[in-house]
Amino acid sequence: MANYSSTQNHTTGLEDHCNVPNNNTYKVLSWVMAGEFILGLPLNLSVLYIFIFRFKFWKNNSVFLFNIVVADFLLVACLPVKIHHYQNQVRRSENETVCTLMLFMLFLNRGASIAFLITLSLDRYFSVVHLGRKNCVKVFKKSPLISVLIWVFLLPLTIPTLFVFFSQIIIPFSILVYCTTRIVSRLKRKTVGDKAKLRRAVFAVLSVAVVFSVCFLPSTIARAVLLIVRLKNMQDTENIVVQVFDTLMVLSYLDCLLDPLVYCFCNSGFKVAYISTFFPPVLKNRLLKPASYVPTTTTTTLNSASKIIPLQVVQK
């Protein structure tokens, strides 16, 4: 356990201190995390319920989406510990075992969310840009074994070295930008055919880009600034940058609230199942009325599809 923490300090060149530089800042951050926990726990429990009992993810090629749900739920479960630390004016636990376990869980959940989100983006990319060719990602996402292997592969990446911290963000974000650019370009060049399908692919990839831009990129940039400040031994500036970094890390936990939007864009069946289960009838009828994901030729077919398809998804 001690080796893990010492690895963090020596390989990153960043020695994280337990004491907070400003009590008021961390009191506020603790309440922000409390809000994330209060909203995130029921939301992620409801999403888990839908995926397991109503949507049955293993039958709907949604194994990767389910893994993101698991990662988000584990992240939410870690928040009370962080809240306790910040309420008691410490940035992390002075107990090496607790500190190591928290670092492990946060890095594992962050890595899993990023890995599966990028895999979903690649699936949309191959399905749209290279339509007609063999999509290996589509084959992989049907196999639970591949998901297990991804989790196992992420285990050594939980050691918070500087290279791992940045490569976890920079490389996936580069892939995401490339996929988004190619899909948007494909949509602009599409003159005939199902443009609605391409638009849904764009929305799916853009929703992943929003999660990255809001949750992961800012904290990564702040981490780079913190490294520079510490290497230059600028103590006064470091106290400010540490607070900025910790604030952005707290905001990065918002991915457990934003990811359900990704599920809705990536799988219309999940959206229908969730709305049909938890939304009141007035909102349910309004949100499920445009069943645009069903190809139709007449008004009669459209109306019947909007009534039948939501029921079929929920009954599975």
Side-chain angles (χ1 to χ4, degrees):
M1 290 293 184
N3 289 338
Y4 191 95
S5 296
S6 62
T7 299
Q8 178 195 18
N9 293 338
H10 289 102
T11 55
T12 62
L14 304 177
E15 185 179 354
D16 286 325
H17 303 284
C18 291
N19 297 330
V20 300
N22 186 299
N23 292 343
N24 293 330
T25 298
Y26 287 82
K27 282 284 186 181
V28 172
L29 291 181
S30 70
W31 287 112
V32 172
M33 283 192 291
E36 293 172 337
F37 177 77
I38 292 171
L39 295 174
L41 183 62
L43 176 61
N44 283 276
L45 283 174
S46 66
V47 169
L48 274 174
Y49 171 79
I50 293 297
F51 267 104
I52 296 173
F53 297 106
R54 304 303 297 271
F55 189 58
K56 296 184 178 179
F57 67 92
W58 61 92
K59 294 183 179 179
N60 290 283
N61 299 330
S62 300
V63 176
F64 282 173
L65 282 178
F66 179 73
N67 280 275
I68 301 175
V69 179
V70 172
D72 286 344
F73 183 75
L74 293 175
L75 171 62
V76 172
C78 292
L79 290 182
V81 180
K82 293 289 292 183
I83 293 170
H84 174 74
H85 291 161
Y86 283 9
Q87 282 283 340
N88 289 277
Q89 289 83 51
V90 290
R91 297 183 62 234
R92 59 180 177 86
S93 175
E94 296 180 358
N95 184 302
E96 286 296 332
T97 302
V98 175
C99 179
T100 298
L101 182 60
M102 283 296 296
L103 281 173
F104 173 79
M105 291 296 294
L106 291 174
F107 268 76
L108 181 63
N109 299 334
R110 181 189 183 95
S113 293
I114 293 171
F116 288 108
L117 285 171
I118 289 300
T119 305
L120 289 172
S121 300
L122 287 172
D123 177 47
R124 289 295 182 272
Y125 166 75
F126 284 113
S127 298
V128 171
V129 178
H130 298 291
L131 184 62
R133 299 182 185 179
K134 186 176 180 180
N135 184 352
C136 59
V137 180
K138 190 176 292 294
V139 176
F140 289 159
K141 74 177 184 178
K142 298 178 182 179
S143 172
L145 179 61
I146 298 300
S147 297
V148 173
L149 290 176
I150 290 176
W151 282 97
V152 172
F153 175 75
L154 288 170
L155 290 178
L157 298 181
T158 58
I159 300 175
T161 63
L162 187 63
F163 173 76
V164 168
F165 190 88
F166 290 115
S167 62
Q168 264 192 346
I169 303 297
I170 302 303
I171 295 176
F173 188 73
S174 301
I175 295 173
L176 180 61
V177 170
Y178 176 78
C179 291
T180 305
T181 304
R182 293 296 304 274
I183 291 175
V184 171
S185 175
R186 173 66 173 162
L187 176 63
K188 289 180 179 180
R189 290 187 284 107
K190 185 76 171 178
T191 56
V192 294
D194 189 4
K195 293 193 72 172
K197 180 180 179 181
L198 286 175
R199 289 194 186 96
R200 287 196 300 273
V202 171
F203 287 143
V205 178
L206 286 178
S207 64
V208 176
V210 168
V211 172
F212 263 79
S213 301
V214 172
C215 299
F216 300 136
L217 275 181
S219 59
T220 303
I221 295 172
R223 185 73 171 182
V225 174
L226 182 58
L227 170 65
I228 295 171
V229 169
R230 282 180 171 168
L231 290 177
K232 291 185 177 182
N233 198 23
M234 303 165 63
Q235 187 59 52
D236 293 336
T237 305
E238 179 182 335
N239 290 335
I240 298 174
V241 177
V242 164
Q243 295 178 68
V244 173
F245 171 70
D246 286 338
T247 300
L248 293 176
M249 282 300 296
V250 168
L251 293 179
S252 74
Y253 304 151
L254 284 172
D255 69 310
C256 66
L257 301 177
L258 295 177
D259 282 343
L261 294 176
V262 178
Y263 313 149
C264 291
F265 284 124
C266 287
N267 197 308
S268 55
F270 167 80
K271 174 184 175 182
V272 170
Y274 193 92
I275 291 174
S276 299
T277 302
F278 294 113
F279 281 57
V282 176
L283 282 176
K284 184 191 307 182
N285 294 334
R286 181 175 298 179
L287 293 172
L288 296 181
K289 188 176 180 180
S292 58
Y293 51 87
V294 181
T296 59
T297 54
T298 64
T299 305
T300 304
T301 307
L302 177 62
N303 292 336
S304 61
S306 64
K307 294 178 182 178
I308 294 173
I309 287 179
L311 295 177
Q312 290 175 337
V313 173
V314 175
Q315 289 172 352
K316 285 185 178 180

